[in-house]
Amino acid sequence: MMEGRGYRRTGFILALVWFFLSIFPLYFVLVTAFKPPLAVSQGPTYLPFVDFQPTLQAFRDAFAGLRGDFWGPIVSSVLVSVTATALAVLLGAMAAYALVRFEFRIRLLSGVIFAIISIGGFLLLNGLWGLRVPYSMAIVLVLALVVSVLANRLPLPGPVMKNDDVTFWFVSQRIFPPIVSAFALYLLYTEVNKLGLRLTDSFPGLVLAYTAFGLPFAVWLMRDFLATLPVEVEEAALVDNIGRFRIFFGIVLPMARPGLIATSMIVLAFIWNEFLFALLLTSGKWQTLPILLAGQNSSRGDEWWAISVAALFSIAPMIVVATILGRMMRSGLLTGSIK
Amino acid sequence: MRSSAAKRDGIKHAFLWPAFLVVLLISLFPLIYALTVSFQTMRIVPPTPPRFVGVQNYAEILQSGRFWGSMWTTTVITVLSVVLEYVLGFALALALHHNVPGSSLYRVTFLLPMFLAPVGVALIARMIFHPYLGPVNDLMRALGLGNVPFLTEPNLAMAVLIIVEVWQWTPFVTLLMLAGLQSLPAEVFEAARVDNVPAWRRFWDITFPMLLPISVAVVFIRLIEGFKVIDTVFVLTGGGPGTATETLTLFAYNEGFKKFNIGMTSALSFTFLIVVIVFGTVYLALAQRLTRRYA
Amino acid sequence: MKKLLLSAALTVTGGAAVAQCSPDYTGVTLTVSTQNGPAIASALAAAAESWEARTCGTVNVVEFPFGELYPKFLTAMSQQTGDFDVIGFVPAWLPDFAPFLSTMPAELQEGSDWEDIHPTYRERLMVWNDEVKSATMDGDMHMLNLRSDLLDNPEEQAAFEAKYGYPLAPPETWPQYLDQAEFFNRPDQGMYGTAEAYKRGGQQFWYFFSHASAYTNNPNNPGSMFFDPETMDAQINNPGWLRALEEYKKALDFNPPGALNNGSGDVRPLYAGGTVAMNLDWADSGVLRATEGGDAAEGTVRTAMLPGSTEIWNHKTQAWDTFPEVVHSPFLAFGGWQLGVPADSANPEAAWDFVKEVISPAVSGTAIVTANSGVNPYRFSHYDKLDAWSSIFTPEEAESYLGAQRASLDAPNVALDLRLPGFFSYTEVLEIELSKALAGEVEPQAALDAIAAEWDRLTDEFGRDTQLAAYRASVGLPPLEN
């Protein structure tokens, strides 16, 4: 169409410009990984063999573990991120489905009751009676949940929270600045450690924290994607008396594939790059890539070649993921799946 | 009828509770801990026994110029970056959706910045914007502008921080808007084309409104995450000069992890939480109204 | 690989392998932690190899980003997690860490190895509250790094003397330092006068302290550099500090562009690559230039003690004291990495044995001449072995390098770094106000007054008496008689 062409050209130029802006820093990183120190300290250089003689020294140093164990964090990051992402997206999509297809009514007062019992109970058990943190928490959690769920059945006065508020609650978990939560979570984990269940510097501990970390995104994003799905297909299945879980896994999820993939990628990216919790909750065995990357910012100064190598390895698996995703996102492959 | 509906509805709990429990498990103790500590003076160095002081920490924060300064800085950086990210990201998603030449390559490369750890992006940005050894100033020198003090002049430093954030997070918007675009039913657009609706109207009257829900979600998430920006600032400027580029999370980080003033940090975190929740609720209410009007 | 060969060799030398473990720590695994390598971590890894061979124990070296070391160690120790058996940390953190560290066993505090450690480290840096809580594994101080290709050049010498009226030589006073920086500041030739750190969060305050020690560390009033040793009033806004700040700021004119954003790591490659004529830094700059400076830098490294002054501020008389000769007050910036054993470690004996291995004359003697080890001399035996440096330095370079360090340690008016509980609280306001003053946003005196006010407030908040006692201990003064 005629008037489409002007927009297409603008779009093309925009995409091209953005392409160069995105790529140039990455190109610079790639090239810097091969630079000898003088090629950095004497001014910017851009072209290998023209501006400077490339060398593999930075790579050799990295593999030899000169600036920290190299392979451990890579393995660690991959295992933890993939597992946590899978769990977060699965549980998050389930929760999102519930929020989209059903109605929840939670009285504010029962929420307040929960808060009072959990906070007050914890202070009582741990502060006054000196019961250990994990036990206090467990008791308080169960008690508060049971009481507030029962309380919800009663016709209590006050406003009622609906689905949107529940979603908001999930997302609000992300607002809290991670400083104190990381410290407090570390405290909790070490307390549980003392009881014999190893949570710090362990796979389960890290995956648990990261799943909780990724759930708010998963819930929030999947909720919008699932909301756009036509409800008739499910209702038809319901009439045929197919169970909800089968509907969910057999019909809904496949229909929501673009959203599912996009959400998984977002969650994966966030977990892959998370730094603060990884720093506190890991020690020698499960350190992840962001810690290795931060370690390149050493007091010896910005050794740009070392930073570049670490950054390259940090992004390499992600390039694979992005490529796979990019292929799947080709328009036409997925839009037709709805019909 | 009632009982089977209730039984049908009962399954909703099986869907929701696993997620709910996991989040609760991880977040409840830190919340309780932070809340109780925020009403005490608790320092680990020098080791002082905690003392209950009521709302003194909160009062100190609300009266602290440094707190309000960091709120202002954080707000400016976040709002400006998110606006830019949204506009750019949406435009790029449209371009990709309509398959401009090179799309298959772009689909991969556009996503990359988002997958780099923020601390990595910050280090790379430090390389690139280095006043003497970096490419950007090389370009500036070539253009005759001399060595621009990108990281030491407060306004320029803020601009650099915004640029870095936009560079890294526009892919986030692009990805989600693209997924949204691809989920739109095709026949609405076909009908509009048959009716000879011009492209501009097609966009404003059909595409944009239908994508409002996802737009709201994307902007909201970016705002919340953006408010916590710390790595970029930490590496590029250290919060300086003075406290000109100090964001809230950096302020909290220094209080909590350098000075180990846990009581103050907790109070800071809660104040921040309240502010953002208030702001978020207002935002969502406005967004609801906007969505309802359009859709 | 080496470990494998080593242990294979040991087993091959007979079933008497068991007798090789002395003392026997089979089955013991030590977790040793410090900043990301190669500096310090590689030295620990090297010591680990020899220790494992000797004792049949195992060592696991865990590294963390430097910026996160303090919170990581403090959270682990304060919660008594037993995560770490040995930690490599910064001496300025000793007051905060001391309650959680175990004391060095008495056997390590005697003998010729003990005496070999320079007394400035042995009796002052490693001690807190009269107990030896840590072991120096590295000696750090700020020095001037110079270039012989400039200083020994006859044309430069003639031109300099013509312009300034005295011979070109390593600067003895700070005004001389500024003169030289100005002389060599030639932007059109791509060379600048000097390089110092100015960035907030880039360890800049140590550079500021180095300027200040010459004017504030008065030999007539020992320990009065940072605080009044009797009242704990902050001294940081006295005229001595003001002069230091003005000179520190003046040096910006002779730094490469963008110096305001330079951290300590940035000044090294500038000197190594020849972009600047000299710099103020730790010993790393010299080694870096010698190993990575390229052919143009061959043999040109010279090191000198920090400039001093003939005038030092006297806080009691509120006037300047003049001295007939230049008094050098070399500043032991940073102090040098320390090894400590957390009190909650599960293997304290083995841990201290490992510490002994790392600081032993043999192991440390190799570490100081190993590139990238990050270990600088701190034992008498280190300074005497000039030829051990031949792989890095020419003989003249080695002599200059070691001579400057030894002279700094031996100087009668050597100035120790600030060590106080709540260190980061004090330095945070210092960094903020300093960066404002450097950027020209506030006047130097106003910035210093603001710092002094906040320091006094912090002292009161932490408890003036405890802080005073801690400060007196850190500068080697006996407790106040009451």
Side-chain angles (χ1 to χ4, degrees), chain A residues 25-337:
Chain A
L26 298 174
Y27 165 77
F28 194 71
V29 168
L30 179 65
V31 158
T32 308
F34 292 96
K35 288 183 188 169
L38 275 180
V40 169
S41 60
Q42 285 180 338
T45 50
Y46 304 96
L47 299 169
F49 297 112
V50 174
D51 288 338
F52 64 91
Q53 281 302 342
T55 162
L56 285 177
Q57 189 56 41
F59 287 92
R60 275 185 235 128
D61 288 343
F63 293 155
L66 194 64
R67 285 181 187 79
D69 177 24
F70 202 70
W71 295 109
I74 292 180
V75 169
S76 191
S77 272
V78 169
L79 286 177
V80 170
S81 305
V82 169
T83 317
T85 303
L87 279 175
V89 173
L90 176 66
L91 295 182
M94 281 167 55
Y97 182 68
L99 287 168
V100 162
R101 290 284 175 256
F102 300 100
E103 195 189 337
F104 286 90
R105 300 172 64 87
I106 303 172
R107 301 180 199 282
L108 187 62
L109 215 51
S110 62
V112 172
I113 291 177
F114 178 86
I116 293 177
I117 294 184
S118 53
I119 300 176
F122 180 77
L123 285 176
L124 202 66
L125 288 173
N126 180 258
L128 226 53
W129 291 341
L131 189 64
R132 305 195 72 140
V133 170
Y135 296 135
S136 316
M137 280 305 299
I139 295 175
V140 148
L141 192 63
V142 169
L143 199 65
L145 272 179
V146 165
V147 171
S148 49
V149 164
L150 288 176
N152 208 25
R153 302 259 178 106
L154 306 171
L156 297 168
V160 178
M161 322 242 275
K162 303 274 196 52
N163 291 20
D164 284 346
D165 302 303
V166 175
T167 320
F168 188 73
W169 177 83
F170 269 107
V171 179
S172 68
Q173 301 304 314
R174 295 286 310 155
I175 302 179
F176 205 62
I179 317 291
V180 184
S181 358
F183 182 72
L185 195 62
Y186 177 73
L187 282 185
L188 180 65
Y189 273 24
T190 47
E191 289 291 323
V192 175
N193 275 2
K194 291 185 191 158
L195 295 179
L197 180 68
R198 176 107 207 146
L199 280 186
T200 55
D201 207 22
S202 74
F203 184 69
L206 209 51
V207 167
L208 181 63
Y210 275 159
T211 308
F213 183 83
L215 268 172
F217 290 118
V219 170
W220 181 260
L221 290 172
M222 282 313 295
R223 193 191 66 147
D224 285 305
F225 283 120
L226 289 177
T228 64
L229 294 182
V231 101
E232 303 86 44
V233 184
E234 296 171 51
E235 290 188 345
L238 277 174
V239 166
D240 289 343
N241 255 327
I242 302 182
R244 275 290 180 183
F245 270 102
R246 285 197 59 195
I247 295 180
F248 180 71
F249 284 105
I251 304 178
V252 175
L253 283 189
M255 276 206 291
R257 199 131 65 115
L260 208 57
I261 293 177
T263 307
S264 303
M265 301 236 4
I266 303 276
V267 174
L268 181 67
F270 272 99
I271 295 181
W272 181 264
N273 293 328
E274 201 284 325
F275 175 71
L276 204 59
F277 281 83
L279 176 75
L280 281 190
L281 299 180
T282 63
S283 195
K285 288 196 278 271
W286 284 95
Q287 269 192 18
T288 56
L289 273 177
I291 301 179
L292 177 70
L293 207 49
Q296 309 307 315
N297 185 24
S298 74
S299 65
R300 249 171 78 94
D302 301 341
E303 293 165 325
W304 293 5
W305 47 96
I307 295 173
S308 302
V309 171
L312 279 179
F313 275 89
S314 178
I315 199 179
M318 290 290 118
I319 294 182
V320 173
V321 175
T323 315
I324 298 177
L325 178 72
R327 293 246 188 84
M328 285 181 153
M329 297 285 283
R330 260 197 350 255
S331 55
L333 185 65
L334 300 162
T335 42
S337 62

Side-chain angles (χ1 to χ4, degrees), chain A residues 3 8 16 19 21 46 103 123 141 164 173-175 177 184 220 224 265-266 269 273 302 304 326 329 335, chain B residues 12 27-29 36 98-99 106 115-117 126-127 135 138 167 172 182 199 217 221 225 228 272 288:
Chain A
E3 87 273 9
R8 272 183 81 85
L16 208 60
F19 174 72
L21 286 178
Y46 304 96
E103 195 189 337
L123 285 176
L141 192 63
D164 284 346
Q173 301 304 314
R174 295 286 310 155
I175 302 179
W220 181 260
D224 285 305
M265 301 236 4
I266 303 276
N273 293 328
D302 301 341
W304 293 5
M329 297 285 283
T335 42
Chain B
K12 71 185 177 189
S27 62
L28 189 61
F29 174 71
T36 46
H98 289 289
N99 274 322
Y106 298 153
F115 289 122
L116 265 177
R126 196 165 149 72
M127 275 199 265
D138 207 21
W167 183 84
F172 178 83
Q182 289 177 341
I221 290 192
E225 291 299 313
K228 298 189 296 190
F272 181 65
Q288 291 260 29

Side-chain angles (χ1 to χ4, degrees), chain A residues 1-4 8, chain B residues 97-98 186-199 202 206-207:
Chain A
M1 298 226 54
M2 271 307 131
E3 87 273 9
R8 272 183 81 85
Chain B
H97 186 59
H98 289 289
E187 61 298 353
V188 182
F189 291 98
E190 273 153 28
R193 232 173 252 132
V194 163
D195 287 347
N196 263 326
V197 179
R202 273 209 308 273
I206 307 177
T207 317

Side-chain angles (χ1 to χ4, degrees), chain C residues 61-115:
Chain C
V61 178
V62 178
E63 301 171 30
F64 294 103
F66 174 72
E68 315 304 328
L69 266 189
Y70 180 81
K72 186 72 187 163
F73 286 162
L74 195 57
T75 36
M77 293 196 297
S78 64
Q79 303 307 317
Q80 298 179 311
T81 58
D83 276 344
F84 304 114
D85 295 298
V86 178
I87 55 172
F89 65 98
V90 177
W93 306 342
L94 186 57
D96 292 333
F97 283 6
F100 307 110
L101 290 174
S102 64
T103 315
M104 182 185 276
E107 317 87 68
L108 268 69
Q109 295 183 33
E110 52 193 17
S112 57
D113 282 358
W114 178 249
E115 303 292 325

